[in-house]
Amino acid sequence: MGLNDSSPGAVRNGRGLSEQWAEAAAAAARPRTTERHVTVHKRLVLGFALSVLTLIVVTAVAVALGVRFEECSSGGGGGGRERGGEAGSRGSARLNGSRGERGDEEAGAAAAAQPWRNSRLPGTLRPRHYDLRLAVHMDNFTFSGDVSLELECLNATRFIVLHADRLEVDRVSVTAEGGVGRPANKPGGGVMRVHRHFPFPANQMYVVVLHRELKPMRLYRLNVSFEAAIEDELLGFFRSSYTLQRERRYLAVTQFSPIHARKAFPCFDEPVYKATFSLTLRHDPQYTSLSNMPVESAAPPDEDGWITNRFARTPRMSTYYLAWAVCNFTYRETQTDSGVAIRLYARPDAISSGAGDYALHITKRLLGFYQDYFKVQYSLPKLDLLAVPKHPYAAMENWGLSVFVEQKILLDADVSSSSYQMELTMVVVHEICHQWFGDLVTPVWWEDVWLKEGFAHYFEYVGTDFLFPKWNMEKQRFLTDVLHEVMLLDGLSSSHPISQEVEQATDIDRVFDWIAYKKGAALIRMLANVMGQPLFQKGLNDYLLSHMYGNAARDDLWRKLSQAMRSEGRDIDIGEMMDRWTLQMGYPVLTVSRNQSEQLPTHYITVSQEHFLYGEDERKNNSLQWQVPLTVAVGNSSAVCSESLLWINNKTEIHRVGQMDDGSWLIGNINQTGYFRVNYDLQNWKLLIQQLHTNPQIISVGNRAGLIDDAFNLARAGYLPQGVPLQLIGYLPEEPSFLPWHAASRALYQLDKLLDRTDDYRLFSDYVLKQVAARYHQMGWPTNGPGVEGNVLQASYQTEELQRELIMLACSFGNKQCHRQAVAYISDWISSNKNRIPPNIRDIVYCTGVSLMDEDVWEFIWMKFHSSNAVSEKKILLEALTCSDNTFLLNRLLNLSLTSDLVPEQDVIDVIIHVGRNPQGRNLAWRYFREKWDVLNARYGEALFMNSRLIGGVTEFLNTERELNELKDFIQSSGVGAGPALPRALEIVEGNVRWHRLHRRQFYQWLRKPPGANAG
């Protein structure tokens, strides 16, 4: 495995000059031998004297050059200072991100001799074990520590280069431990003389320069003492707080992924440098400490009254999976049949109320499920789930200590909706999957982060189906929530391949996006369907067993899956097929049409592929091709028959399918298992629409949803006339299933935000209400049942979700009866102070009530937001406040969210985004975002997803020329550091403006046609 981009040989070859300097300096310090031969000839004496003089001059020059070299090495930083002959050298070097840089010309020239100037670690050393001891001071939010690293030298070097960021390094020492494989009782090489140590902030590295080389195949020990602050910024080792009985309590927890372990201790902070860890935590006895492994020994209180917990040694793992927490939480626990202890830690009041019981229960079942599916046992003796009030992400899969933000793991059965329960379930399923894909087998480098995130996202749906088979997640919700959503992003020219090069630390953030998660999951699902589940599982088992406790790259996965295929006589090169999907951006649209040639019979079809892009201009010079597993079926008014699998490798191909007559239609991508769109000739679209209007259930529910999504997006991109998708959804009054309604709702929502500020908007909203009315009145409103267990787990999930979808559409598009019902619910709540609104529709009712009613209702919801203790209830109350039509209240909410602690820090972004989705607040949120960009970027810039989600959420529905120009101006003046989110936002807004220019007129013309008229 390649450890880095720089060759270790460059370090070795570049040492000559620096060693000469060091040796010359050492020579100058050695005493010269006294001349004993006083009878030597005068000329010899003179020659000797001249030689000595020359040597002194050369030595002086060498020393001067050596000093200059060291100044360059430290980049001007004040690093450690040399202490001749001492094993350790003391110094103080605060890594502040600004010192240590010289000009680019010096950096380029010295790169070979100065490996810390490369963005990746040099690969000359490998950590084997960390012994980390920390004292945690919760009274002043600081910590101090010592780390002892056992290192194996791979290539000779004088430099120990590792990561450290914002650490105050105090003492550094190095000792030689002996050779690899040397018996423990055999003495090593003793103390290594440290010449200097210093930070290199530009690459968040710390450098130890030795007087002599470390030798290959030898072991060494690096000891570093340091201290740092427990930050308030959600990364590294950070603090959080909560209120219990009016008392503010604090906790401290780690978030090291992807590159923040270096903020907590000096380490080799790249995924490939796996090692074992022994952690010791010392702290005030009022707190509990947790880590990846169980407590191995607990020392009684010392003279200060503090306690010390030493945790058992971990398996080999990457630094970003190390975790610890210091808190005063309580817990509930259970145990698997195989003896794995599972605990859920949370605020004492949350534990006593039972809010963590649901997650604890499903975690126990999930460990068993994954062990059976992967045929690989869970590796650790325990698994703790930690619910924290503040966290940058939904959760983090630290091995043995998974951390969740409270909203994604605590469930109040009396007030939580089925959709909230579903979301929480999937987050837990995702994180437990990571205990295998991520913790046990880790991607070699961040370019293949989808190898863990794509699998975990795919198994969200597979694992949830195991827990609740009636939810039918993998075959249904996966289509709308993963496939359809990510294809919106991946159809942009600003998209990127799922595997993308990562050079700098600043590049790592951009690989954590929905392309990695959702496209990764969609490609894995497509592959699983091509292979079949038994072979897919066989390949995954072999992959995990071959790379457990190590690292793997995508080619390792392709190799194991190909071997599984060959074991059953199926010679498909998975790597050749999948490289097209992972190393190219985007996806194809396949156009399937009957063969028009009179020379071929009617059971031949023509299939062509091209790169699907929303922008028509970007499609002109595109030559990308994929190996596409296209499933095709022929159907008619009574049945679907003769399904075929066709491999499409070329731009255009002709294939034979089942016999067709004039009334037969074609449908491709059966059940939407493939990651591509399918278009047809207009006659086939007409036949499919006829089928949907007469007997929709002849076509599978997955394909009905897929036809809706494909039609709307093909029309938006200009591949189809605007009337085709509108005519297609005319069948929805006859649609009995949730999934097609959900697909239509998502497509209509996109159009709604494009049109909601146009003069003819009522034409569109009336058309939607016409499709919704009959089914909405038929389904009615839910009654307030006994809680989550009774409402969700026993009732028909699909029926509840359809009812909710119809109520949301009816209220959003202005159904008067829906508005009256929502207002009545809110009025009853205010007058009785009893909330009788069914949990499954509370978010819809709250939002509708706030938008229609007066300022007193907004104040009432604001009061309830602060008084509620249920995290799911607080979330929807806060979102409801963004639904007001009163711009004064919206502005007040925006200001309160950012400038006070009344709104949780991780919810501020959601407030701004939801205000922007409100037509009355769109300009307000857009202006506020630009004015507060510096504050927002400083607060959330380092956290994965947050900036990207904020930028996308605020800009995705801007659609006027003025707004487009404002966005361009903002990018030019302030867009530094936002990564790919701003170019993507620009392309989306340009597409919105282009749609208005090219298609809005045709769209409204179709809506004005009398009922029964043909599609345009």
Side-chain angles (χ1 to χ4, degrees):
M1 292 181 292
L3 294 183
N4 67 336
D5 296 333
S6 61
S7 166
V11 177
R12 297 180 65 190
N13 296 336
R15 62 171 274 270
L17 185 59
S18 61
E19 281 210 340
Q20 289 171 22
W21 287 335
E23 288 164 3
R30 288 197 295 266
R32 291 190 299 276
T33 303
T34 305
E35 179 59 60
R36 291 187 177 92
H37 304 288
V38 294
T39 61
V40 175
H41 195 277
K42 288 183 178 180
R43 283 200 296 186
L44 289 175
V45 172
L46 181 60
F48 179 76
L50 288 171
S51 298
V52 170
L53 182 61
T54 303
L55 178 62
I56 291 170
V57 171
V58 170
T59 301
V61 171
V63 168
L65 288 171
V67 170
R68 174 61 177 159
F69 166 76
E70 294 298 344
E71 287 174 353
C72 291
S73 298
S74 65
R81 55 184 181 272
E82 180 181 349
R83 285 198 173 184
E86 287 192 10
S89 75
R90 290 183 63 87
S92 179
R94 182 72 175 177
L95 285 166
N96 57 18
S98 61
R99 297 186 327 195
E101 282 285 13
R102 295 277 183 187
D104 288 344
E105 66 282 355
E106 288 187 13
Q114 301 177 20
W116 51 91
R117 292 191 179 275
N118 295 318
S119 61
R120 299 281 299 275
L121 294 176
T124 51
L125 300 167
R126 178 170 62 201
R128 290 163 55 108
H129 179 69
Y130 294 79
D131 193 343
L132 179 59
R133 298 168 178 268
L134 299 175
V136 180
H137 304 268
M138 294 298 290
D139 54 343
N140 63 2
F141 302 120
T142 62
F143 67 102
S144 58
D146 299 279
V147 63
S148 178
L149 284 82
E150 183 184 282
L151 303 173
E152 178 184 350
C153 182
L154 303 177
N155 297 98
T157 181
R158 288 181 57 233
F159 307 115
I160 300 175
V161 182
L162 70 169
H163 288 108
D165 184 22
R166 307 183 197 180
L167 301 177
E168 192 83 32
V169 173
D170 181 32
R171 175 175 284 277
V172 175
S173 66
V174 181
T175 56
E177 299 282 289
V180 176
R182 180 188 292 262
N185 60 355
K186 190 166 183 179
V191 168
M192 300 287 293
R193 190 174 169 202
V194 175
H195 179 56
R196 191 175 179 84
H197 60 93
F198 57 89
F200 190 70
N203 288 334
Q204 298 179 346
M205 290 178 181
Y206 205 87
V207 183
V208 180
V209 183
L210 301 169
H211 270 281
R212 58 188 174 92
E213 279 192 335
L214 306 177
K215 303 299 183 185
M217 299 295 292
R218 299 289 295 274
L219 298 181
Y220 299 88
R221 184 166 300 279
L222 169 67
N223 300 292
V224 183
S225 300
F226 59 93
E227 59 185 33
I230 302 173
E231 301 285 1
D232 189 26
E233 63 169 24
L234 307 182
L235 297 170
F237 187 27
F238 70 93
R239 65 183 185 266
S240 181
S241 66
Y242 63 97
T243 302
L244 185 67
Q245 298 172 346
R246 297 186 177 180
E247 176 192 355
R248 183 172 289 277
R249 296 188 176 188
Y250 289 92
L251 65 143
V253 65
T254 59
Q255 171 55 43
F256 289 162
S257 178
I259 53 168
H260 304 294
R262 64 193 68 175
K263 288 183 170 68
F265 65 106
C267 57
F268 289 72
D269 202 12
E270 291 179 6
V272 78
Y273 291 104
K274 286 196 166 186
T276 54
F277 296 82
S278 296
L279 175 68
T280 302
L281 291 176
R282 180 175 171 269
H283 53 81
D284 190 296
Q286 69 173 295
Y287 293 98
T288 299
S289 54
L290 305 170
S291 188
N292 307 77
M293 298 295 285
V295 173
E296 185 177 64
S297 63
D302 57 20
E303 62 274 12
D304 295 328
W306 281 31
I307 59 172
T308 301
N309 287 330
R310 182 166 180 82
F311 297 88
R313 188 180 183 123
T314 70
R316 287 185 73 240
M317 64 184 192
S318 301
T319 48
Y320 72 92
Y321 282 132
L322 183 66
W324 62 82
V326 177
C327 59
N328 44 23
F329 285 174
T330 54
Y331 65 88
R332 293 275 179 95
E333 66 181 327
T334 186
Q335 193 174 66
T336 68
D337 294 339
S338 58
V340 177
I342 306 171
R343 290 182 175 179
L344 188 143
Y345 287 83
R347 291 179 283 110
D349 52 334
I351 291 295
S352 62
S353 72
D357 293 355
Y358 172 75
L360 193 65
H361 168 70
I362 63 172
T363 297
K364 178 180 177 179
R365 294 183 62 198
L366 285 166
L367 280 180
F369 164 72
Y370 283 126
Q371 289 180 150
D372 290 344
Y373 191 100
F374 298 138
K375 301 293 188 290
V376 177
Q377 292 297 299
Y378 176 70
S379 302
L380 304 187
K382 63 95 173 174
L383 173 58
D384 293 335
L385 312 177
L386 179 65
V388 297
K390 187 169 72 170
H391 197 265
Y393 318 120
M396 177 60 204
E397 69 272 12
N398 308 308
W399 211 355
L401 178 59
S402 291
V403 181
F404 298 75
V405 70
E406 288 181 339
Q407 292 177 358
K408 303 301 182 184
I409 197 168
L410 301 181
L411 184 75
D412 189 320
D414 293 328
V415 300
S416 298
S417 66
S418 60
S419 58
Y420 180 86
Q421 184 203 14
M422 182 189 78
E423 183 181 0
L424 182 153
T425 301
M426 295 175 77
V427 171
V428 175
V429 174
H430 181 109
E431 302 309 323
I432 304 305
C433 178
H434 271 315
Q435 306 297 306
W436 284 264
F437 282 90
D439 297 357
L440 184 64
V441 178
T442 311
V444 170
W445 184 237
W446 299 108
E447 63 192 7
D448 280 332
V449 72
W450 70 271
L451 275 180
K452 71 185 187 78
E453 297 302 346
F455 270 100
H457 204 59
Y458 170 66
F459 275 99
E460 285 182 31
Y461 295 82
V462 177
T464 303
D465 275 345
F466 162 76
L467 295 172
F468 304 112
K470 291 182 179 178
W471 289 10
N472 210 7
M473 299 293 288
E474 190 269 332
K475 287 185 171 56
Q476 295 202 13
R477 281 301 283 261
F478 187 95
L479 305 187
T480 51
D481 297 4
V482 180
L483 188 65
H484 298 173
E485 183 168 328
V486 74
M487 290 175 104
L488 283 170
L489 285 177
D490 208 18
L492 300 171
S493 62
S494 56
S495 186
H496 59 80
I498 193 172
S499 292
Q500 51 180 331
E501 289 187 8
V502 177
E503 297 291 341
Q504 306 292 332
T506 52
D507 295 333
I508 293 172
D509 288 1
R510 64 181 169 83
V511 303
F512 284 85
D513 63 4
W514 284 140
I515 300 294
Y517 282 67
K518 293 182 183 287
K519 183 175 181 177
L523 294 181
I524 290 163
R525 178 173 178 265
M526 179 171 72
L527 191 52
N529 277 276
V530 168
M531 295 180 67
Q533 280 297 323
L535 288 181
F536 182 64
Q537 285 183 248
K538 176 182 172 67
L540 294 188
N541 169 255
D542 198 10
Y543 169 77
L544 290 171
L545 288 175
S546 297
H547 299 286
M548 61 195 306
Y549 305 113
N551 299 82
R554 59 182 177 273
D555 285 343
D556 298 313
L557 177 64
W558 304 150
R559 195 175 303 114
K560 296 302 180 184
L561 295 179
S562 294
Q563 289 172 6
M565 294 286 276
R566 283 195 293 273
S567 72
E568 295 292 323
R570 297 172 62 186
D571 192 15
I572 296 179
D573 187 335
I574 298 295
E576 183 183 350
M577 168 195 166
M578 293 304 295
D579 279 350
R580 297 282 188 95
W581 294 95
T582 59
L583 302 180
Q584 295 181 159
M585 63 176 277
Y587 57 87
V589 53
L590 302 189
T591 300
V592 180
S593 54
R594 298 169 194 255
N595 189 67
Q596 302 298 318
S597 169
E598 296 179 1
Q599 296 159 359
L600 291 171
T602 55
H603 48 267
Y604 280 87
I605 61 170
T606 301
V607 182
S608 61
Q609 63 164 296
E610 67 172 292
H611 183 189
F612 177 91
L613 287 167
Y614 286 101
E616 296 178 46
D617 293 340
E618 288 85 359
R619 297 201 286 264
K620 292 175 182 175
N621 300 312
N622 203 284
S623 59
L624 298 183
Q625 288 179 224
W626 290 261
Q627 290 187 18
V628 186
L630 172 65
T631 46
V632 180
V634 178
N636 55 38
S637 59
S638 57
V640 177
C641 52
S642 61
E643 183 178 321
S644 310
L645 172 61
L646 311 175
W647 283 96
I648 310 301
N649 300 310
N650 302 302
K651 283 287 188 182
T652 303
E653 298 183 8
I654 295 174
H655 288 270
R656 179 173 177 164
V657 294
Q659 190 72 38
M660 293 182 289
D661 57 32
D662 288 344
S664 300
W665 40 260
L666 291 158
I667 192 161
N669 198 11
I670 306 304
N671 295 320
Q672 285 213 291
T673 57
Y675 185 70
F676 48 87
R677 298 196 184 279
V678 183
N679 194 9
Y680 308 95
D681 57 82
L682 287 177
Q683 177 60 21
N684 198 72
W685 275 112
K686 182 178 179 181
L687 292 168
L688 287 168
I689 290 169
Q690 274 181 357
Q691 184 64 60
L692 289 172
H693 280 256
T694 54
N695 187 1
Q697 296 192 61
I698 291 291
I699 300 172
S700 72
V701 66
N703 276 118
R704 298 201 299 272
L707 285 170
I708 291 169
D709 186 68
D710 278 349
F712 273 102
N713 284 282
L714 289 166
R716 176 163 184 170
Y719 291 91
L720 274 181
Q722 298 302 303
V724 171
L726 293 172
Q727 190 180 22
L728 189 151
I729 64 166
Y731 94 95
L732 282 175
E734 308 304 319
E735 175 56 70
S737 298
F738 161 72
L739 190 68
W741 274 104
H742 192 49
S745 177
R746 293 170 66 91
L748 292 169
Y749 177 71
Q750 295 286 328
L751 280 171
D752 180 58
K753 298 306 173 189
L754 278 177
L755 299 168
D756 60 11
R757 295 179 294 176
T758 61
D759 294 338
D760 293 326
Y761 175 71
R762 281 295 298 273
L763 278 173
F764 173 64
S765 61
D766 287 348
Y767 180 77
V768 175
L769 288 175
K770 179 183 172 185
Q771 312 310 315
V772 171
R775 187 64 66 174
Y776 162 73
H777 289 296
Q778 179 191 358
M779 296 290 293
W781 284 61
T783 55
N784 202 348
V788 168
E789 288 292 323
N791 269 358
V792 180
L793 302 187
Q794 305 305 320
S796 167
Y797 168 79
Q798 302 291 340
T799 301
E800 281 210 351
E801 286 299 280
L802 175 58
Q803 186 181 54
R804 170 185 161 77
E805 198 77 47
L806 292 164
I807 292 170
M808 184 171 66
L809 283 166
C811 278
S812 297
F813 284 93
N815 180 286
K816 300 299 183 189
Q817 192 277 336
C818 192
H819 284 180
R820 286 195 297 272
Q821 182 66 59
V823 168
Y825 266 129
I826 295 288
S827 300
D828 174 68
W829 184 17
I830 293 173
S831 61
S832 67
N833 205 28
K834 290 183 178 179
N835 191 342
R836 300 184 178 93
I837 306 168
N840 215 33
I841 56 167
R842 283 188 179 180
D843 57 338
I844 304 169
V845 172
Y846 293 174
C847 182
T848 304
V850 167
S851 69
L852 295 173
M853 301 171 79
D854 59 21
E855 187 175 337
D856 290 342
V857 172
W858 194 94
E859 297 289 354
F860 176 80
I861 297 293
W862 176 249
M863 177 192 69
K864 291 295 182 183
F865 166 69
H866 288 292
S867 62
S868 175
N869 291 319
V871 291
S872 61
E873 184 74 356
K874 289 181 79 73
K875 180 177 185 288
I876 61 173
L877 286 165
L878 183 60
E879 288 179 4
L881 293 167
T882 69
C883 298
S884 175
D885 285 351
N886 186 324
T887 54
F888 170 78
L889 293 175
L890 294 176
N891 200 45
R892 175 182 162 195
L893 179 63
L894 287 171
N895 286 313
L896 284 171
S897 68
L898 196 58
T899 59
S900 74
D901 58 1
L902 296 175
V903 175
E905 191 170 340
Q906 67 264 23
D907 293 333
V908 172
I909 285 176
D910 286 327
V911 168
I912 300 171
I913 290 172
H914 280 86
V915 170
R917 289 175 179 171
N918 180 343
Q920 306 304 317
R922 193 162 306 152
N923 289 332
L924 194 66
W926 172 224
R927 185 172 66 248
Y928 188 82
F929 164 81
R930 286 175 288 159
E931 290 173 353
K932 304 295 183 182
W933 168 248
D934 290 341
V935 177
L936 292 164
N937 194 37
R939 182 182 293 189
Y940 302 111
E942 270 199 283
L944 307 177
F945 275 127
M946 283 198 166
N947 256 2
S948 178
R949 191 161 60 88
L950 173 61
I951 292 167
V954 169
T955 61
E956 65 180 322
F957 300 123
L958 304 178
N959 56 54
T960 66
E961 290 282 359
R962 176 180 59 81
E963 290 166 341
L964 174 59
N965 289 329
E966 288 171 348
L967 177 57
K968 289 178 179 177
D969 291 342
F970 173 75
I971 291 173
Q972 190 171 3
S973 62
S974 308
V976 178
L982 281 172
R984 182 167 60 239
L986 179 62
E987 185 180 357
I988 289 171
V989 176
E990 286 175 338
N992 293 344
V993 172
R994 183 174 58 246
W995 186 89
H996 275 279
R997 186 176 69 249
L998 298 179
H999 303 305
R1000 184 176 75 186
R1001 185 178 174 189
Q1002 182 192 29
F1003 184 86
Y1004 276 134
Q1005 280 177 345
W1006 192 93
L1007 289 174
R1008 289 190 181 93
K1009 288 183 179 180
N1014 292 330

